[in-house]
Amino acid sequence: MRGAGVIIAACALVGCVPATPPEDEAPARIELTVNATCGTLTITSAPAGLACSDDCAAELRAGRVSLSATIEGQLCMGEIHCDANVVDPGVQWASNPTPVSLELPPGSSPACAATSFWSAPEGEGEGEGGEGEGEGDVGEGEGEGELWVEDYVDGQWITTVVSAVDVHGTILRPPATAADLDDDGVAEVLFTDPRGVHLVRGLMSATPSQELLLPTDMWTDGIRELDLEDLDGDGAKDLLVVASESAGLRLLRGLGGGAFADPVDLLIAPPGMPNVGCSVVNGVEHCFYDMHQASLADLDGDGDLDIVAAGPTLNVLRNDGDLAFTPVAALGALPLGAVTYAMYAATAWRDGDVARIVAAGRWSSTQSGIPDPEGAMFALVSTDLASWTVTDGVPANTYDTELRLSRTLPGQSGDVVACGRGTRLVAVDASGALVLGPSLGYCPRQIGDFEGDGDLDMLTDGFNQGVLLGDGAGTWTALPSTNGVPLEWASTWGDLDGDGMLELILIL
């Protein structure tokens, strides 16, 4: 049995196909009794007579149930994901074991997946080795996690466990990114664990080096996203850190050669946002934000990337050059009828002479009872980045703790891919109205040229879908899965050995 923080269970797929009832009968219900043993999740179906098989292919992730159990002093975590044919379970969190009822529309053939993994030992907090502790020092392999590399060679995946990199127990699929920062043809890797943001050079070499680039403290906590982009046009990639319950957005200027300057907070307390708390430490003002996602796009047509950040407010920051970002808009919860919604995900782009945002989130206040569905999606437009008009809002059953929005790729219809409880395409028409399109069986998380052929490929989340190869015309082909840890657990990818192909990086 491996230590805390190491995922030790692969996905178990169970497809439950009820007999098709007459249309006037009530929907069938399946009760799943889940026992998180951290070797597998045991799933049994009730009532008897439902035909269940273990070779189905799950398509969409629509519902989620999280559960936990303490086994021999360690915390065992588990999740069930179900496709769009299943009405979302009423239970969102439960102890072990727990019965979970899934409602099935007549004639449906749902598919569910279950995972379990060890978390931290009982009684240990997430901040071990955190604030102020170990700054600049990552130790000598004392961490209880692992970093794996999956390399696709001659039609099969080759797994390498990089034991020289020190990883502390962390969440499933922690934020990470990779890019060639020193122009040597090999990507450096940045990943997060409870201690902060780490920079690893020469990951596949005999002696990789590791640096704690940004230690966890009260201004850098709950990291949700790492973005490497050249934001000032000097040829060096800058690092944007998106975090919750901390400073929200922190920017580290890239100095070239993989070096970075000290972090700078991008968000200040804007007018009209009285609930934002700020403190002055050593003469520097810091404000607390709960940011979940950032979208980088040239919204004003001046050639550099602006920022739209969501969670639970929408914040627009204009890039004025030389890494000077000016907060020009801060939008609170958006109303739809008698309900207001806090926005936790957003994507933005330039559309002719206007800038557009599509944002999604969960209800925050209501005067008419809890809405069903609990989520909503909004379209907004602006001509100056400071004033935004909501052009449409629609209820949408998309809210999820991992809700995120991204732009569509060439060959996909619509403007946005919405990933949450299920994944679907969304379009914004010329009037600004939202058009909810077809569902997808995967959620794109990373975009790049995996095999070096010039066409964009995807690293996806979607029941071990893993890598989808694109042909440039909208056709996607899935690479084979592994026999071990699901490929969808990869945090990021990059060319780690200079061969022109991308390798997958899993932090477990």
Side-chain angles (χ1 to χ4, degrees):
M1 182 178 297
R2 290 187 277 175
V6 181
I7 299 170
I8 63 172
C11 279
L13 289 178
V14 177
C16 300
V17 183
T20 302
E23 293 185 0
D24 58 349
E25 287 189 11
R29 297 186 70 87
I30 292 181
E31 182 176 276
L32 305 178
T33 300
V34 183
N35 294 284
T37 64
C38 273
T40 183
L41 285 182
T42 303
I43 301 181
T44 58
S45 67
L50 293 171
C52 291
S53 61
D54 59 4
D55 59 353
C56 63
E59 293 294 332
L60 303 176
R61 190 175 75 187
R64 168 181 295 177
V65 175
S66 300
L67 60 152
S68 65
T70 300
I71 303 173
E72 296 179 354
Q74 291 191 343
L75 185 61
C76 175
M77 308 297 292
E79 289 183 342
I80 311 168
H81 302 273
C82 292
D83 67 21
N85 291 324
V86 181
V87 176
D88 291 337
V91 179
Q92 295 298 319
W93 185 269
S95 58
N96 171 64
T98 182
V100 178
S101 295
L102 308 178
E103 184 175 342
L104 310 179
S108 64
S109 299
C112 298
T115 63
S116 66
F117 53 92
W118 291 115
S119 185
E122 184 178 18
E124 289 191 11
E126 295 181 354
E128 181 182 358
E131 181 177 349
E133 182 178 337
E135 183 172 349
D137 179 11
V138 296
E140 298 180 357
E142 71 273 16
E144 297 174 320
E146 289 181 341
L147 190 149
W148 290 17
V149 174
E150 294 285 350
D151 191 5
Y152 193 66
V153 180
D154 296 330
Q156 62 180 349
W157 291 99
I158 306 298
T159 302
T160 301
V161 180
V162 186
S163 58
V165 174
D166 179 35
V167 180
H168 277 211
T170 184
I171 60 173
L172 174 63
R173 203 167 50 219
T177 188
D180 181 6
L181 301 177
D182 53 10
D183 300 321
D184 64 352
V186 175
E188 282 71 43
V189 177
L190 292 99
F191 74 90
T192 62
D193 73 4
R195 296 166 298 168
V197 180
H198 300 261
L199 171 62
V200 180
R201 306 170 190 269
L203 180 63
M204 299 301 290
S205 68
T207 57
S209 66
Q210 182 174 356
E211 171 190 356
L212 183 55
L213 181 66
L214 184 62
T216 297
D217 58 21
M218 66 188 302
W219 314 118
T220 308
D221 200 5
I223 298 173
R224 293 180 174 270
E225 183 179 321
L226 300 177
D227 294 309
L228 279 172
E229 293 285 352
D230 182 4
L231 297 174
D232 55 1
D234 65 353
K237 290 188 180 298
D238 310 296
L239 175 63
L240 179 66
V241 180
V242 182
S244 60
E245 299 181 2
S246 56
L249 296 178
R250 309 202 80 186
L251 180 63
L252 288 74
R253 180 190 293 270
L255 303 176
F260 293 89
D262 292 337
V264 175
D265 295 357
L266 294 186
L267 291 173
I268 59 175
M273 299 293 288
N275 294 326
V276 176
C278 300
S279 300
V280 177
V281 179
N282 296 327
V284 178
E285 184 180 32
H286 300 274
C287 300
F288 289 94
Y289 283 83
D290 182 20
M291 290 295 112
H292 286 229
Q293 183 184 10
S295 176
L296 305 178
D298 181 9
L299 298 179
D300 53 8
D302 64 355
D304 49 29
L305 298 178
D306 308 295
I307 300 174
V308 173
T313 61
L314 283 176
N315 291 267
V316 181
L317 294 89
R318 186 184 63 230
N319 188 342
D320 292 327
D322 196 29
L323 292 192
F325 284 85
T326 301
V328 293
L331 308 176
L334 301 179
L336 184 60
V339 183
T340 58
Y341 295 83
M343 298 294 100
Y344 291 97
T347 189
W349 68 99
R350 183 77 177 176
D351 183 12
D353 295 329
V354 301
R356 295 193 184 277
I357 295 175
V358 170
R362 182 179 184 271
W363 71 276
S364 59
S365 65
T366 176
Q367 299 177 8
S368 57
I370 297 176
D372 183 18
E374 61 179 323
M377 193 174 301
F378 294 85
L380 301 94
V381 67
S382 175
T383 57
D384 60 5
L385 303 193
S387 300
W388 291 84
T389 300
V390 175
T391 59
D392 196 12
V394 296
N397 192 19
T398 56
Y399 180 74
D400 185 274
T401 55
E402 295 184 6
L403 174 67
R404 60 185 177 273
L405 305 180
S406 61
R407 292 281 282 138
T408 52
L409 295 176
Q412 291 179 324
S413 61
D415 299 293
V416 174
V417 180
C419 300
R421 289 179 180 162
T423 303
R424 68 187 310 164
L425 297 170
V426 180
V428 181
D429 67 17
S431 69
L434 288 166
V435 181
L436 302 183
S439 297
L440 292 177
Y442 56 85
C443 172
R445 293 191 294 108
Q446 300 277 346
I447 307 299
D449 187 358
F450 177 81
E451 53 186 349
D453 63 354
D455 294 326
L456 291 178
D457 309 304
M458 289 186 281
L459 175 60
T460 70
D461 179 4
F463 294 107
N464 205 20
Q465 196 89 34
V467 176
L468 295 180
L469 301 181
D471 64 355
T475 299
W476 308 93
T477 303
L479 287 182
S481 60
T482 66
N483 293 324
V485 174
L487 297 177
E488 68 167 348
W489 288 357
S491 286
T492 190
W493 59 7
D495 186 358
L496 304 177
D497 52 15
D499 66 352
M501 293 188 63
L502 306 184
E503 288 75 46
L504 273 59
I505 301 157
L506 295 83
I507 298 110
L508 308 175

